[in-house]
Structure formats: structure tokens, C-alpha cells
């Protein structure tokens, strides 16, 4: 083919160029139908002749500008004289330049430059800058919402039949794959956004228009009459708890969307013994925790069976893996902490109210003892401090139930003790993790809630609970039933992100691996820990040795 190009005459070359010229994307869609052959030809002509089109458009603009100048200057005599003078000087200059060597070429170059500038492609100010496909999808979502958000009393009439999507949607975003991933809606102040039925209608309408296979995160701002929606693919479920590759002071609460965090860690997806264990990179939700941490305590709230105890167990396993001391109160006698009893590092696990209150008293006394010793020592070596204030964890599963049981038994309110403990815990190295049924979050005192700045909400939270936890009515839409361990998390003043908690089902199998990993790292080995299922049963030791930073 290359040989034939040299022997082409200019006309053949032009014809070949025209034939081979890439057609534009829009026209490409029609390329398989003869019906649109003329459209294709027109697009090719416009594409190849684009410089000519620009020059013609610019020349026409130039002529129109000159005409406007000529006619508009005629309003006043004085202006008219000025105009005549300017035109005369311009004409004389042009003629003088024209008679110079290359003068005509220079004039042509000036004309071409001016025409190219004036005829350049400019966006049509009246045209929607979104692509047609995006406009169609946004408008379809808008139309689907009109029956539910239309309000005759709304002076702005943001949602009305025949309205444009821009009057109701304030922001939207499409990802690289052209998926709508976020949408912000401003609605009438008269819309009953406090009623879950009204909200549900809007949510289901959006899901119907945008697609049922996604997961939707709804953030209702009832004060501002705004709804922020994020549309995301479902998170992976059933991730087995394992020794996470994070820093020593970091604890993995769960996993979120890659767009919500700036990092990914390798995660083994299966705990099945034998065979290839798939490893993927997932975005962790990390709680940074340690002495003087900004968020030393955690509050987990969730609906019935949403996986609160599982999260507490997962954190207890991580704490033991770091060689920390663990105590736990199982207020509802679920037995979720039984398999921790008697393990190295586990000081006490209680479920009876009297014993649980006794444990609370002990932890408070230990915290006070630590505070006094630290005060006596003043500034001392870090290693001694670390030994004195060895991290001690108190897990209270279902705090509201514990309060109720203690009240029935005529005991003190555990929240009184907890509030003091949490306040001092930051310096004394005592971490409190409490869980509560979502509908009972309001029973937790503000003094307790305010000390727990790291928060996780699991399952479909009632509006009151999500407001108490995150300051807004958050809902997850899409699948009818959320998998256990799915919810939202916020650490301190960070953003609220959705989270999928890993499953810590078989802690008996998990602990030896976690603790073994710490010990072998302390021995200087860098080998990676097995997944839970892969354990060969090498019993765990106390795990008080050094913590392998590269393993956690
Ligand atoms: N992240 C998870 N992934 C998979 N399954 C989970 C997860 N979390 C919990 N589960 C499963 O869901 C069930 C309920 O979990 P769990 O007891 O932790 O919930 P809960 O919120 O504490 O329940 P309750 O409200 O009854 O106390 C258990 O069978 C558990 O194995």
C-alpha cells in the first residue's frame, strides 16, 4: 500500500484521504446502516474542511462587526466624522501595505489570523454542556422524582412536570465508565423528609431509574432540604478477619470504597483451608489508636443481628494480636466472648450484672492506679511508660442492656463509671469499645457518647440513631436486605464512609494465627501470616512480644 502512495496524483491522494479519514464517534454509531450514509459523508466533509469552515465563519463575523461599526457610529455627527476618518486611515494603510513587497501576502495573513480568531469554535452558551447521554439519564431520574417531590407550595417549583433536571439537581458526577456515581438534590422545604415513608418513596423511585444492582447511600439533610446520594457497586462480603497489613497503631474496622480512602491493603478473600487463596487489594477503614490518640474509644450501634458483636470480636482479636490486655462484658449472655476466656492477654470476660459491674470497678481502679503511677513518675522513658500503661481494652457488648440489668439488680449505673473511665482512658491507656442496639442509642448518656469519637453504625439505622451517631439521616438503599456487617463508619471529624466489617466467626482458629504472627515478627521473621483457615494449629502464645509493624 505504501508503494502506491508515491504514484498517486493529487486528486487520487485527496480521494484516499477523504476515504481513510477517521469518522467522528457520533457518526460511527450509524456506520452500519446505509440510511445514514449521507450523515457520514457530511461529517467527513465537515471534519476535513474544518479550517475552511473556521475561516468562512470568521470572515462573516468580521463583515458583521464592520457593518455594525459603520452603522452604529452614524448616531451622532461627531462620531460619524470619526468613523469616516478611521475608515479612511485604515484604507490608506491597507493600500500602502499592499504596494510593499509581500504586502498582499501580509494583508492576507492578517485577514486569516483575524478570521481564525473570530471564527474559532466556541461553546454555545445556550447548550447544556453535559453530553446527550448524561442529560437523558439525569432527566429520566428527575422525571421519576417529580411525582414525589413536586410541591405546589414550593415558590421555586424545583420539581414539576416538564421541568429540567437542573432545577432540582445541584450536583452530579459520572465516573470514567460513564456511571452516575453521585447526585445532590435540593427539594421543597415542605417535603416531609422527616417521615420514613416519604423518604422511602423518593429512594425507591431513584433506584428504579438509576438501576437496582447498585448500592445507594442516602444522606438526608433535613435542615437544608437537601439529599446527597452516592451510587456504588456493592462491597465484597464475607471477608475473613486476618492479620491486616497496617501500621502498629492501626485497627481495621472494615472495608470501604476505594474512592473513600487513599490506600489499599492486600486482603485474603477466603478462609478455606488448602487451595489457592485469592488475594485482592481493598480499601480499609482504619481506626488509629494508641496512647494520646485523638479518638481513643469506639461506639458501635446497629440493628438486631447486624454484626455488632462480630465487630467487637474482630477488634478484640486484633488487640490480642498486638499483645494488649482484653476484658469484656457480654451483657446479653450471647456467649460471643466465651472463646476468648482463658486466652493469654484476656483478663476477664463477664456476663452476669454483678460480675460485670465488679469488672468495671476493677478497670476504673486500674485506670486510677495507672494515672497515679504515671503522675509519680513524671517524664520517664517511653518503654517504662508503655509497660506501665500497657493497652487495656474493655469491650461492653450491649451497654444499654447492661444498664438495665444493673438497675434491676439494684447496682450502680455502669454509664457513670464508663464516663470517668473514658475521660481518663486516653492517658492511662484504657480503651473502651461499647455496642448498643440502634434504637437504644438515645439511652446512652451524652458523656459516654461524646467520648467515643470513632463510630460505626450497622444495618439500616433509624433516623434518630444515625443522627446521634453521624449528625444526619443516613440510609443504604438498593438491596432489600443488607448483609451483616454492612453500615457506615466515621473516625473523629473524618467523612462518613460506608463499611463492610470482616467476619470474625471462628476466633478459636483465628487467634493462634494472629498471635503467632506477632511472635514470629518479633523474632525477626518477615514471613506473612496464614489465613485463618490455613492455620496448622500452632497454639498462640501470650503475644506480649514485639509487634511486627510490617504485618499490621
Ligand atoms: N461482617 C460479617 N460478615 C458476615 N457475617 C456476619 C458479619 N457480622 C456478623 N455476621 C453474622 O451475622 C450474625 C449476627 O451477628 P452478631 O451476633 O455479631 O450481630 P449482633 O448485631 O451482635 O446481633 P444482636 O443484635 O442479636 O446482638 C451471626 O451469625 C454472624 O456470624
Amino acid at each position: 500500500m505504501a508503494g502506491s502512495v508515491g504514484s498517486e496524483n493529487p486528486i487520487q491522494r485527496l480521494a484516499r484521504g477523504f476515504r481513510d479519514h477517521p469518522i467522528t464517534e457520533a457518526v460511527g454509531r450509524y456506520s452500519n446502516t446505509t440510511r445514514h450514509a449521507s450523515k457520514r459523508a457530511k461529517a467527513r466533509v465537515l471534519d476535513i474542511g474544518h479550517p475552511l469552515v473556521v475561516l468562512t465563519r470568521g470572515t462573516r463575523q468580521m463583515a458583521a462587526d464592520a457593518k455594525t461599526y459603520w452603522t452604529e457610529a452614524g448616531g451622532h455627527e461627531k462620531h460619524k466624522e470619526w468613523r469616516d476618518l478611521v475608515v479612511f486611515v485604515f484604507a490608506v494603510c491597507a493600500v500602502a501595505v499592499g504596494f510593499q513587497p509581500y504586502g498582499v501576502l501580509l494583508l492576507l495573513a492578517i485577514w486569516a489570523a483575524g478570521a481564525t480568531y473570530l471564527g474559532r469554535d466556541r461553546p454555545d452558551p445556550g447548550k447544556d454542556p453535559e453530553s446527550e447521554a448524561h442529560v437523558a439519564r439525569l432527566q429520566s431520574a428527575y422525571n421519576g422524582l417529580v411525582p414525589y417531590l413536586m410541591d405546589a407550595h414550593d415558590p421555586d417549583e424545583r420539581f414539576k412536570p416538564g421541568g429540567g433536571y437542573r432545577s432540582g439537581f445541584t450536583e452530579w458526577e459520572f465516573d470514567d465508565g460513564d456511571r452516575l456515581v453521585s447526585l445532590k438534590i435540593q427539594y421543597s422545604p415542605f417535603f416531609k423528609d422527616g417521615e420514613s415513608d416519604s423518604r422511602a418513596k423518593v429512594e425507591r423511585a431513584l433506584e428504579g431509574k438509576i438501576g437496582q444492582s447498585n448500592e445507594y447511600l442516602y444522606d438526608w439533610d433535613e435542615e437544608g432540604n437537601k439529599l446527597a446520594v452516592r451510587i456504588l457497586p456493592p462491597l465484597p462480603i464475607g471477608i475473613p478477619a486476618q492479620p491486616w497489613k497496617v501500621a502498629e497503631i492501626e485497627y481495621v474496622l472494615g472495608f470501604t470504597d476505594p474512592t473513600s480512602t487513599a490506600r489499599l491493603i492486600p486482603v485474603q478473600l477466603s478462609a478455606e483451608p488448602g487451595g489457592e487463596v485469592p488475594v485482592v487489594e481493598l480499601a480499609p477503614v482504619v481506626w488509629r489508636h494508641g496512647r494520646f490518640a485523638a479518638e481513643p474509644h469506639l461506639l458501635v450501634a446497629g440493628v438486631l443481628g447486624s454484626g455488632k458483636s462480630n465487630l467487637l470480636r474482630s477488634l478484640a482479636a486484633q488487640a490480642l494480636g498486638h499483645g494488649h490486655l482484653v476484658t469484656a462484658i457480654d451483657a446479653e449472655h450471647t456467649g460471643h466472648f466465651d472463646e476468648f476466656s482463658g486466652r493469654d492477654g484476656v483478663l476477664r470476660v463477664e456476663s452476669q450484672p454483678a460480675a460485670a459491674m465488679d469488672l468495671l470497678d476493677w478497670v476504673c481502679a486500674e485506670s486510677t492506679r495507672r494515672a497515679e503511677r504515671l503522675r509519680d513518675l513524671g517524664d520517664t522513658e517511653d518503654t517504662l511508660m508503655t509497660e506501665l500503661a500497657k493497652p487495656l481494652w474493655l469491650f461492653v457488648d450491649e451497654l444499654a442492656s447492661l444498664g438495665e440489668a444493673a438497675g434491676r439488680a439494684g447496682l450502680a449505673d455502669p454509664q457513670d463509671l464508663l464516663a470517668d473511665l473514658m475521660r481518663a482512658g486516653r492517658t492511662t491507656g484504657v480503651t473502651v469499645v461499647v455496642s448498643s442496639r440502634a434504637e437504644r442509642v438515645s439511652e446512652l448518656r451524652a458523656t459516654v457518647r461524646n467520648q467515643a469519637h470513632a463510630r460505626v453504625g450497622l444495618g439500616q439505622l433509624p433516623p434518630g440513631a444515625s443522627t446521634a451517631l453521624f449528625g444526619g439521616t443516613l440510609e443504604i438503599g438498593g438491596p432489600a436486605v443488607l448483609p451483616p456487617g454492612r453500615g457506615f463508619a466515621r473516625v473523629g471529624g473524618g467523612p462518613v464512609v460506608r463499611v463492610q466489617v470482616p467476619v470474625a466467626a471462628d476466633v478459636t482458629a483465628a487467634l493462634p494465627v494472629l498471635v503467632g504472627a506477632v511472635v514470629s515478627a518479633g523474632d525477626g521473621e518477615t514471613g506473612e501470616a496464614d489465613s485463618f483457615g490455613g492455620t496448622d494449629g500452632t497454639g498462640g502464645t501470650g503475644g506480649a512480644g514485639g509487634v511486627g509493624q510490617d504485618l499490621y
Side-chain angles (χ1 to χ4, degrees):
M1 203 57 184
S4 67
V5 173
S7 57
E8 279 176 347
N9 64 36
I11 293 185
Q12 283 171 326
R13 208 161 33 240
L14 189 67
R16 189 177 53 77
F18 183 75
R19 208 174 46 242
D20 296 347
H21 190 84
I23 53 174
T24 61
E25 193 204 329
V27 173
R29 285 193 225 116
Y30 299 111
S31 59
N32 292 330
T33 64
T34 45
R35 228 161 22 104
H36 296 95
S38 63
K39 279 193 179 174
R40 271 159 54 208
K42 188 178 165 201
R44 278 189 173 133
V45 169
L46 285 177
D47 215 7
I48 294 167
H50 190 249
L52 214 60
V53 172
V54 170
L55 281 179
T56 313
R57 200 161 54 199
T59 308
R60 281 221 307 264
Q61 183 66 44
M62 225 182 248
D65 288 351
K67 193 171 164 203
T68 311
Y69 177 76
W70 182 264
T71 50
E72 284 187 1
H76 296 282
E77 279 305 305
K78 199 169 137 205
H79 285 169
K80 205 171 171 189
E81 282 161 14
W82 264 110
R83 178 200 67 190
D84 294 346
L85 188 65
V86 168
V87 171
F88 177 73
V89 170
F90 182 80
V92 168
C93 289
V95 171
V97 170
F99 278 103
Q100 302 305 310
Y102 303 110
V104 175
L105 277 183
L106 184 63
L107 287 176
L108 278 174
I110 292 170
W111 160 77
T116 307
Y117 177 73
L118 289 173
R120 71 191 184 280
D121 290 328
R122 275 180 284 202
D124 178 353
K127 194 170 180 282
D128 194 322
E130 280 296 337
S131 72
E132 275 178 31
H134 290 182
V135 170
R137 281 161 59 198
L138 290 165
Q139 190 61 43
S140 147
Y142 174 89
N143 294 344
L145 291 176
V146 166
Y148 307 104
L149 291 176
M150 185 174 63
D151 189 340
H153 306 293
D154 180 10
D156 296 327
E157 288 203 310
R158 291 180 178 278
F159 287 86
K160 59 179 179 199
Y165 73 94
R166 282 177 182 269
S167 57
F169 300 165
T170 51
E171 276 176 49
W172 50 89
E173 191 188 332
F174 289 86
D175 67 5
D176 295 340
D178 246 10
R179 279 183 58 249
L180 181 63
V181 288
S182 82
L183 187 62
K184 288 195 178 162
I185 299 170
Q186 179 84 53
Y187 52 82
S188 155
F190 302 104
F191 174 69
K192 293 179 179 145
D193 50 7
E195 294 179 4
S196 54
D197 272 2
S198 314
R199 288 200 308 270
K201 280 181 188 153
V202 168
E203 293 172 2
R204 298 303 85 79
L206 261 180
E207 287 157 22
K209 290 293 173 188
I210 299 174
Q212 303 281 5
S213 61
N214 302 303
E215 204 164 277
Y216 294 77
L217 307 190
Y218 298 102
D219 185 355
W220 290 88
D221 173 1
E222 293 171 29
E223 277 178 23
N225 308 310
K226 291 180 204 152
L227 167 63
V229 191
R230 292 189 65 206
I231 305 133
L232 302 155
L235 289 170
I237 55 170
I239 304 160
Q242 56 200 272
W244 310 112
K245 296 201 180 220
V246 291
E248 191 185 335
I249 56 159
E250 292 180 326
Y251 290 79
V252 173
L253 297 174
F255 292 89
T256 188
D257 312 288
T259 45
S260 299
T261 62
R263 70 196 265 205
L264 299 171
I265 59 168
V267 172
Q268 293 182 349
L269 278 190
S270 158
E272 293 305 315
E276 285 265 303
V277 181
V279 176
V280 292
E281 299 263 302
L282 296 179
V285 180
V286 163
W287 172 29
R288 284 200 188 80
H289 168 275
R291 231 173 136 236
F292 303 118
E295 294 88 24
H297 310 293
L298 175 76
L299 169 59
V300 180
V303 298
L304 192 70
S306 57
K308 302 177 292 296
S309 310
N310 174 76
L311 174 54
L312 266 52
R313 284 153 52 90
S314 149
L315 287 169
Q318 291 182 62
L320 289 173
H322 284 67
H324 297 175
L325 304 171
V326 166
T327 58
I329 295 173
D330 175 10
E332 290 193 340
H333 314 272
T334 54
H336 284 319
F337 287 89
D338 289 356
E339 46 191 325
F340 284 90
S341 295
R343 301 228 162 234
D344 286 327
V346 181
L347 302 183
R348 275 173 84 175
V349 176
E350 302 293 356
S351 56
Q352 296 303 328
M357 291 306 291
D358 185 54
L359 170 56
L360 256 181
D361 278 333
W362 179 83
V363 178
C364 288
E366 170 65 13
S367 174
T368 312
R369 253 192 317 273
R370 286 177 174 207
E372 281 165 5
R373 282 165 78 190
L374 288 169
R375 219 178 6 253
D376 292 347
L377 282 169
D379 282 342
T380 188
E381 285 173 43
D382 272 2
T383 43
L384 189 56
M385 292 283 241
T386 316
E387 197 48 41
L388 268 182
K390 189 169 182 179
L392 169 62
W393 293 66
L394 171 63
F395 292 91
V396 184
D397 201 3
E398 302 295 353
L399 175 56
S401 299
L402 176 65
E404 207 173 58
R408 274 200 306 268
L411 301 164
D413 186 345
Q415 295 201 46
D416 287 337
L417 292 174
L418 272 179
D420 293 341
L421 184 62
M422 290 165 92
R423 215 170 289 125
R426 196 160 166 259
T427 39
T428 57
V430 177
T431 296
V432 178
V433 179
V434 293
S435 81
S436 162
R437 231 17 100 64
E439 59 277 12
R440 300 189 74 173
V441 166
S442 56
E443 293 174 35
L444 304 188
R445 298 231 188 107
T447 40
V448 170
R449 275 208 315 253
N450 293 344
Q451 297 289 337
H453 286 299
R455 291 177 178 175
V456 176
L458 298 176
Q460 292 290 17
L461 299 173
S466 78
T467 308
L469 287 172
F470 304 115
T473 303
L474 303 174
E475 280 164 16
I476 299 182
V481 181
L482 288 180
R486 175 66 56 81
F488 293 98
R490 178 160 76 192
V491 179
V496 180
V497 296
R498 70 173 175 161
V499 68
Q500 174 63 49
V501 176
V503 54
D506 191 0
V507 177
T508 318
L511 280 175
V513 178
L514 286 166
V515 179
V518 174
V519 172
S520 62
D523 291 344
E525 288 175 25
T526 54
E528 292 182 15
D530 297 324
S531 73
F532 289 170
T535 176
D536 57 3
T538 47
T541 63
V547 175
Q549 197 143 339
D550 53 339
L551 282 171
Y552 288 88

